[in-house]
Amino acid sequence: MRVLFAVLMLLLSCAACDRDDVAPKPRTEGAGRAVAPKSNAPSVTISGDDRAADLLSWEVPAVVLEPDQLAAARRSAAKAVREQRLYADAESAIPLYLAILKLAPDDEMARAGLKRALGELLKAGDVALAQTDHDEQALDRAHEIAAVARTVDPADPAVILYLTRVDVADRLLQLNEQGEADLRDSRLGEAMDGALRKFRAVLTLRPGQPRAMQGLAAVESGLIRRAEGAAERGEFGAARYWLNQAAPLRPGSGTITDAKARIEATRARLVRSWHDEGIAALGKDDGLAVARGKLADVLRIATPGDAAAADLRQRIELAAHYGLFRPGQTFTDAMRDGGRGPQMAVVPHGGFRMGAKENEDGASKAEWPSHYVRFDRGFAMSRSEVTVGEFRRFMQATGHRARSSRRGHSIVYDERSGNFVRRSGVDWRSDYAGRPASDQLPVLHVSARDAEAYAEWLSQQTGHRYRLPSEAEFEYTVRAGSDGPWPWGVDMPPLGSGNLTGSLDRSPSGRSWSNAFEGYGDGFWGPAPVASAKPNRHGLHDLAGNVSEWVADCWHEGYRRAPTDGRAWLNPGCRTRVIRGGSWASSPAQTRSAWRMSASADLTNARVGFRVVREL
């Protein structure tokens, strides 16, 4: 008994620390805390304050008994005990025995009978207490029995023990009710006060008590809901915290494992969603900032090494330099007239040293000083020179009048003299000798302004910006990572390097070059059909040979104060432009990667064509 009292007092002192711990209110009829007196029936008044057990009282039903009725009363009382009619009315055992002892205090039979009745009463109380965990009305019965037992013999150790147990049952009910109220108000008590403390206090007194166990499960569910809500908001640190709070509540239940799986599914769903939103943003104007924000969201919640995060980061990196393209990718743009634009290759961003080295053979002061240029963004360049067929579509669509057509002549190669001469009737439709050109040949006899007009038409047709390459872009692509004098390095060109002037080449009448790469031949005299030679590392053909090409820059005598970001170096209204790249009729020195030449923007001849760049 002392142990049980000690546990009760410890629980009460602990519960007194709860912030919302208040004395229980008197029980109503529905709640079982007060039983209204009935006519001709015993009345039980029970305080709801379990710290005031001395307020428990029971009105003994009035029994009218004369001395000559004692024997009959003893028999009636004994029968009532056997029939378990213990205290409810004047014909019950305890009221009868109390009435007998009032008349005959020394009646041993009555004392023994009352003792038996009290024992049966406490047994009934035990039954009621055993049901209080799941039947709140059973606690009402236990309280009634407690009031009767206290009236019969408050000093009886069995009565004191029973009263203590009733107090514990009261406290369990109070704690459960307080815990359930906390649950309704979302005071789960995971850290300080709240439902969890209440239910744990119940389980300290009554391990495994079903109502408290259900409350504990409800707290666990509430914490899991908080974790899942945090996960939906992308707050996975908070989700982990709430799961850690929930984990010790019901070890082995499996609910935490299931919750972790759901939260990881939420993480994966959010990562996929933000990944897809980031990629979608990359296809929109100024969408790079949005995509980077989505990447930050993904990285905040993704696990290390997440493939979606790595993919989005790579796509953003590529988009920053190439838009929606990839280095080395080839593509053509759709045109409004139903056709396709030139085949383009994506050139990777990067840097290189532009210009000739100080001791480079054949270099001129116009190629100095060598300087570092870096492209922060990639670009697309047409894989070959613009062809006669491609230029024809432009001319037919726009009615543009090319410079050579307006002037009525251009410079061609004359086989008979072996020289370049002016010839009438030659325009963009002519080949290097002035004859009608095949559609697969690079277009010749076009000026820088003709080339720019073609690029402008492409821009209008495709909705993307096409233009002539800058000098820096041309040299960057022709070098393709090489820093030697020629694109292939320092030695003689390997076979298949391009349409160059080789000592093995022969004209239709058997002429040969007097200044050529010794021992080299490519089988062509005059321009070859585009892409006849092997592409370089960027997938581009004929940059070092076939025909020289117009670029966007105005001519400057050297590179002092030249742009270092790859932009064209322009001056308003300039009439002298830059030509780059060797041709089928260029000397080896003119085939070097750094070679450049000035020319009037109106120049047309049999050695100069062009290609285009498309911004990404």
Side-chain angles (χ1 to χ4, degrees), residues 190 220 223-248 256 259-264 266-267 299-304:
E190 67 285 352
E220 179 191 58
L223 293 171
I224 289 173
R225 283 194 299 273
R226 287 185 182 179
E228 292 177 335
E232 287 291 343
R233 297 188 299 273
E235 299 168 0
F236 286 89
R240 184 169 56 252
Y241 171 81
W242 294 123
L243 280 185
N244 288 341
Q245 295 296 322
I256 300 300
K260 286 181 178 179
R262 291 193 299 273
I263 286 172
E264 286 307 309
T266 299
R267 187 199 305 271
L299 293 176
R300 179 169 53 83
I301 70 171
T303 55

Side-chain angles (χ1 to χ4, degrees), residues 437-486:
S438 164
D439 277 356
Q440 297 305 312
L441 287 172
V443 66
L444 303 172
H445 311 295
V446 288
S447 69
R449 293 184 175 89
D450 295 332
E452 288 171 335
Y454 173 81
E456 180 62 27
W457 173 72
L458 274 183
S459 300
Q460 294 171 356
Q461 282 285 311
T462 63
H464 301 286
R465 189 186 176 208
Y466 282 81
R467 56 176 173 78
L468 292 181
S470 69
E471 249 198 292
E473 287 169 338
F474 193 96
E475 186 170 334
Y476 178 65
T477 52
V478 74
R479 286 187 181 277
S482 170
D483 64 351
W486 292 284

Side-chain angles (χ1 to χ4, degrees), residues 1 115 118-119 122 149 152-163:
M1 183 171 70
K115 188 72 172 176
L118 181 58
L122 294 179
V152 173
D153 190 353
D156 188 310
V159 171
I160 294 173
L161 180 59
Y162 176 74
L163 293 175

Side-chain angles (χ1 to χ4, degrees), residues 385-403:
E385 304 102 337
V386 173
T387 66
V388 173
E390 289 169 336
F391 198 77
R392 188 188 309 279
R393 287 175 57 196
F394 154 67
M395 296 293 287
Q396 291 173 344
T398 64
H400 174 79
R401 292 195 66 201
R403 176 66 178 168

